[in-house]
Amino acid sequence: MAHDAGLIALSVLEALFQLGLLLVLAPVLGWCLDGLPFWLAGRAGGAVRFRLLGAGRFWKFLFQTPLTGRPALALTVGVLALVCLPAVTTGSVLSPLADPLVMGLMLLMGRGFLGPGVLSGEASRLVPAVLLLCLTEALIALAAPGTDGLGGLCAMLHIEPEPGLEGALAACALALGIACPPLRSEDVTGLLSGVRNRQEREAARSIADVLNCGWLLLLADLVWPVSVGLAQGGVQGWWLGLVALAARLALAVAVAVGLRLMAQERSARLTALFAGVALLLALAGRFGT
């Protein structure tokens, strides 16, 4: 009984640590998404320090004056995704709830909660993303029925590798990243076109960083699920999982920035191509076993 209570307490602590770590990383990832394309193109970008200071002001403001309405819903969605998605290991208490379809739909809805209305361009890119999330869910149900969310899928792939499924998930993640890339700074500006309050605009930009972090983590988990450490891996497995988390997020950012520089974001042809590749890989893996 005491052993079970200790395991539950450990999983809760891991979930809280994961949430705190990702909230700290969110503004850094936000700067990488906005600043790296300028740096790589030879133009100056905003410093990370100012991005971190802006995020710090937001959290201070949040504790003094809690958010209400749509921004509060967007932040709740982002925080829930960060605490549920497997990051370091599969031992987080809420990782069994991290169903790719549910998490993806939540994060997409969070974008709509950011401003008073979703722009037509933003709405148009959500439709293929929803279809791709449904495809991802169907492929997982076909190849790994009965798994408990992404946490259960990661644990299963550690024990019984499925190259066909892993390749299909990576192709789905790439298609999702092309069809619905992380929010740009100008996207957030457009979503906030009707907001005049300066504090609300700054808060929404920090919330957008949280939502982008959750979206990148979801895509990274789909691309490389076996890099998530096992709950029973001990201290060594936990540290390896932490290093793998940094590698996964760096890979996701690199792909997102590369697509932006090559002007391949929201390419319908590439989205359809990688969705087809995912289907072929899944079918090949299914019939090859």
Side-chain angles (χ1 to χ4, degrees):
M1 193 74 174
H3 179 66
D4 292 341
L7 290 177
I8 293 174
L10 186 63
S11 64
V12 171
L13 287 174
E14 181 172 339
L16 293 176
F17 172 80
Q18 170 179 313
L19 176 61
L21 175 64
L22 292 172
L23 288 177
V24 170
L25 288 176
V28 178
L29 296 177
W31 175 84
C32 289
L33 291 171
D34 289 336
L36 277 182
F38 290 98
W39 279 71
L40 294 174
R43 291 175 285 172
V48 182
R49 182 168 61 90
F50 294 113
R51 194 85 178 213
L52 291 173
L53 287 174
R57 286 197 301 267
F58 164 65
W59 292 109
K60 182 180 178 181
F61 165 76
L62 180 62
F63 285 117
Q64 292 175 348
T65 310
L67 294 175
T68 58
R70 299 171 68 96
L73 288 173
L75 181 60
T76 301
V77 164
V79 168
L80 189 59
L82 293 186
V83 79
C84 287
L85 288 167
V88 181
T89 75
T90 58
S92 176
V93 67
L94 296 178
S95 61
L97 302 179
D99 183 83
L101 178 59
V102 174
M103 291 292 105
L105 290 178
M106 282 175 46
L107 289 167
L108 294 179
M109 284 192 301
R111 295 187 178 208
F113 294 145
L114 269 181
V118 181
L119 299 178
S120 59
E122 177 69 11
S124 65
R125 78 187 67 154
L126 298 185
V127 175
V130 171
L131 295 177
L132 287 166
L133 286 169
C134 292
L135 173 63
T136 304
E137 187 78 9
L139 295 180
I140 294 174
L142 176 69
T147 53
D148 293 328
L150 277 172
L153 177 66
C154 294
M156 185 215 76
L157 290 175
H158 272 284
I159 299 168
E160 188 179 350
E162 292 278 353
L165 175 60
E166 293 175 53
L169 291 178
C172 282
L174 192 50
L176 278 167
I178 296 169
C180 191
L183 286 167
R184 298 184 182 191
S185 179
E186 54 265 34
D187 293 331
V188 180
T189 300
L191 289 170
L192 299 175
S193 57
V195 178
R196 297 288 176 259
N197 186 285
R198 181 172 174 270
Q199 285 186 329
E200 287 184 16
R201 295 176 70 87
E202 289 186 359
R205 292 186 184 281
S206 293
I207 295 171
D209 284 342
V210 174
L211 292 171
N212 279 343
C213 183
W215 186 247
L216 288 174
L217 181 59
L218 172 62
L219 299 184
D221 285 345
L222 290 173
V223 167
W224 196 8
V226 292
S227 66
V228 180
L230 291 175
Q232 60 271 27
V235 177
Q236 183 181 5
W238 193 89
W239 281 108
L240 288 174
L242 193 60
V243 173
L245 169 64
R248 286 202 315 281
L249 289 178
L251 176 62
V253 169
V255 172
V257 171
L259 289 171
R260 187 168 300 178
L261 288 174
M262 293 185 293
Q264 293 300 319
E265 288 181 328
R266 305 164 200 147
S267 167
R269 287 186 179 181
L270 274 183
T271 301
L273 172 64
F274 283 107
V277 169
L279 274 173
L280 289 176
L281 288 173
L283 291 174
R286 183 68 174 173
F287 291 114
T289 55

